Amino acid sequence: MEFSYRISEAEYLRAAKLQLKGGSRARLLKLVLIWGLILVCLVVLLGIYHKSKQTNEAPAVQQESAEAVGPDHLADRLVENVLPFTVLAGVWIFIMFKWMPMRLQRVYRKDPSMQGQYTVSVTPESVATQNTAGTSSKTGWNIYNYWREGKDVILLVFHSGSYFLLSLRELPDAQRDELRGILTAALPKK
């Protein structure tokens, strides 16, 4: 089976999200551990900051103990305790939902091999690819770990976790089914 396609920027972003969505549990565990470590370090630093602030201001606290109960002081303490965690959450949300897609778009726009016309020949024994940027390859199925399908895209995932993207946008249903049949016989679907 042979077909040609161009990968759009939207398909490229969908493929990256599809790969992240189906990520392994080990990768998710690493992410949770890293953010947990960051959170623990932040709590420790916040504790050290408050302890050093209390020792430096101990005489002043005794004089102002009657005034310290007021609502202004409570609001200041709340801001001091909650602000670092809010900033950390904001940074994490920015990285996940804004910076990563912007980075992927920049990679797509700068790489001419991603924007070229691909011609792919898929057989039960191998996959051959060629594009207008001058790259071509013919590989056996043993270099791939599994395949995954999303809206108009199929990812052939290497053992390293990187992937090769096939666009199904212009394929008729009969050819899509033929491609799925070849892939199912050659690789597990995840």
Side-chain angles (χ1 to χ4, degrees):
M1 161 180 205
E2 186 172 303
F3 60 100
S4 294
Y5 59 89
R6 284 188 184 275
I7 299 172
S8 69
E9 188 174 315
E11 288 171 327
Y12 182 63
L13 290 172
R14 267 197 309 256
K17 287 178 184 177
L18 180 63
Q19 179 61 6
L20 286 175
K21 185 175 167 183
S24 68
R25 289 185 180 184
R27 191 166 62 190
L28 179 63
L29 180 63
K30 286 178 189 175
L31 183 67
V32 168
L33 287 175
I34 287 170
W35 281 101
L37 179 65
I38 290 170
L39 187 62
V40 166
C41 290
L42 188 60
V43 167
V44 168
L45 287 173
L46 191 62
I48 292 170
Y49 169 75
H50 283 302
K51 187 164 181 106
S52 68
K53 188 176 177 183
Q54 286 175 354
T55 56
N56 291 339
E57 297 177 357
V61 169
Q62 291 174 354
Q63 293 173 357
E64 299 175 4
S65 62
E67 300 171 8
V69 189
D72 290 338
H73 183 67
L74 183 62
D76 290 343
R77 298 235 20 220
L78 186 62
V79 167
E80 282 180 6
N81 291 331
V82 174
L83 186 64
F85 299 106
T86 306
V87 168
L88 183 66
V91 167
W92 185 78
I93 289 169
F94 174 76
I95 288 172
M96 293 302 293
F97 295 106
K98 275 298 201 191
W99 184 74
M100 298 227 359
M102 287 181 346
R103 194 182 108 228
L104 289 172
Q105 288 171 332
R106 191 173 24 249
V107 167
Y108 175 83
R109 290 175 185 159
K110 286 185 177 183
D111 191 351
S113 67
M114 297 178 83
Q115 299 171 22
Q117 179 81 17
Y118 284 84
T119 302
V120 178
S121 176
V122 180
T123 67
E125 296 81 31
S126 66
V127 178
T129 62
Q130 184 177 357
N131 71 9
T132 54
T135 57
S136 63
S137 69
K138 183 174 182 178
T139 59
W141 292 109
N142 60 338
I143 69 164
Y144 299 103
N145 193 14
Y146 59 90
W147 68 285
R148 177 173 291 145
E149 185 173 3
K151 182 184 175 199
D152 291 336
V153 295
I154 286 183
L155 305 180
L156 300 177
V157 182
F158 296 99
H159 293 284
S160 66
S162 60
Y163 57 87
F164 181 72
L165 173 61
L166 301 173
S167 173
L168 306 178
R169 182 174 14 109
E170 298 177 12
L171 282 182
D173 289 338
Q175 283 187 319
R176 288 181 186 212
D177 291 339
E178 180 184 354
L179 178 61
R180 286 183 193 113
I182 294 171
L183 292 174
T184 301
L187 297 169
K189 181 180 181 182
K190 290 188 180 181

